[in-house]
Amino acid sequence: IQNNLSKHLFTLSVPKIPVVNPEAWSSDILVGTILAYLVSGGCVAVYLFTNHWLSNNFFGIVFCLQGMHFVDIGSFKAAATMLAGLFFYDIFWVFGTDVMVTVAKKFDAPIKLLFPRSLDGSERPSLLGLGDIVIPGMFISLMLQFDLHLAYLRHLKQPGSKPEYGRFYFWASMVGYLLGIAATLYVMFVWEHAQ
């Protein structure tokens, strides 16, 4: 299958055009590229025409993964400062005012995950903002990098040994995050309050 997907169909060339395109470029168009465009176009069509909560959540999760992939926090200090700041931001804007909840309910785009309360869709679904996934996800990614750094330092101390890659900080932060998300979902379903 991989050979068929990487089969060259044609080359797209764009000439140098002053102001619009200062450098000429070309790109090979592969079967896999065309297939990816067709599948993604189909997913977008399903979302636009049905506005179903599953298609909304699909795009929301994809946006979360892309956000965590492309944004690198860089240091633990920056991550801890950002998490502390967002903690107080959430307290004020989510619990102190109704601004964030109103925006999340009125803005019809995949900027939140929807959890239906009933199978027939008669009740309004519970919402979970993407920031509650992306920001902790970046922090958890940083903890995984820290575990890798510790493994590298242990390997430097014993050069002939096989490097062991323990994931203590990753799993500790992952368990803490999962407990926090479980508490959030519990509050959303039981007390019908925003996270």
Side-chain angles (χ1 to χ4, degrees), residues 36-48 50-67 109-115 128 130 133:
Y37 277 114
L38 291 174
V39 169
S40 60
C43 291
V44 169
V46 167
Y47 173 73
L48 290 176
T50 66
N51 206 15
H52 194 268
W53 67 272
L54 280 174
S55 60
N56 178 84
N57 289 359
F58 171 77
F59 280 105
I61 291 169
V62 168
F63 293 154
C64 286
L65 293 173
Q66 288 294 313
I111 60 165
K112 62 208 171 259
L113 296 185
L114 303 173
F115 298 95
L128 180 65
L130 298 186
I133 299 168

Side-chain angles (χ1 to χ4, degrees), residues 171-191:
W171 284 113
S173 58
M174 181 64 87
V175 167
Y177 175 69
L178 291 175
L179 290 173
I181 281 293
T184 297
L185 293 174
Y186 178 76
V187 167
M188 282 192 324
F189 282 110
V190 173
W191 285 295

Side-chain angles (χ1 to χ4, degrees), residues 14-23 25:
V14 177
K16 178 180 178 180
I17 302 171
V19 181
V20 177
N21 188 37
E23 296 291 324
W25 59 272

Side-chain angles (χ1 to χ4, degrees), residues 28-149:
D28 293 335
I29 304 300
L30 308 175
V31 173
T33 305
I34 300 295
L35 185 62
Y37 277 114
L38 291 174
V39 169
S40 60
C43 291
V44 169
V46 167
Y47 173 73
L48 290 176
F49 292 118
T50 66
N51 206 15
H52 194 268
W53 67 272
L54 280 174
S55 60
N56 178 84
N57 289 359
F58 171 77
F59 280 105
I61 291 169
V62 168
F63 293 154
C64 286
L65 293 173
Q66 288 294 313
M68 286 185 278
H69 175 74
F70 287 116
V71 178
D72 184 27
I73 297 176
S75 74
F76 181 77
K77 284 182 183 178
T81 303
M82 184 174 64
L83 283 175
L86 288 172
F87 174 74
F88 292 108
Y89 170 90
D90 257 5
I91 289 173
F92 178 76
W93 287 105
V94 174
F95 297 110
T97 68
D98 63 344
V99 172
M100 294 298 285
V101 176
T102 304
V103 169
K105 287 180 179 177
K106 302 287 184 201
F107 194 66
D108 192 24
I111 60 165
K112 62 208 171 259
L113 296 185
L114 303 173
F115 298 95
R117 295 178 192 206
S118 64
L119 294 177
D120 62 356
S122 60
E123 294 184 53
R124 178 172 236 150
S126 294
L127 312 174
L128 180 65
L130 298 186
D132 295 326
I133 299 168
V134 173
I135 304 301
M138 287 190 277
F139 186 79
I140 291 169
S141 171
L142 189 64
M143 293 298 98
L144 188 61
Q145 293 173 23
F146 183 65
D147 283 332
L148 181 62
H149 176 72

Side-chain angles (χ1 to χ4, degrees), residues 158-181:
Q158 301 171 345
S161 67
K162 180 182 174 187
E164 291 186 26
Y165 182 29
R167 294 179 178 94
F168 173 77
Y169 291 101
F170 169 77
W171 284 113
S173 58
M174 181 64 87
V175 167
Y177 175 69
L178 291 175
L179 290 173
I181 281 293

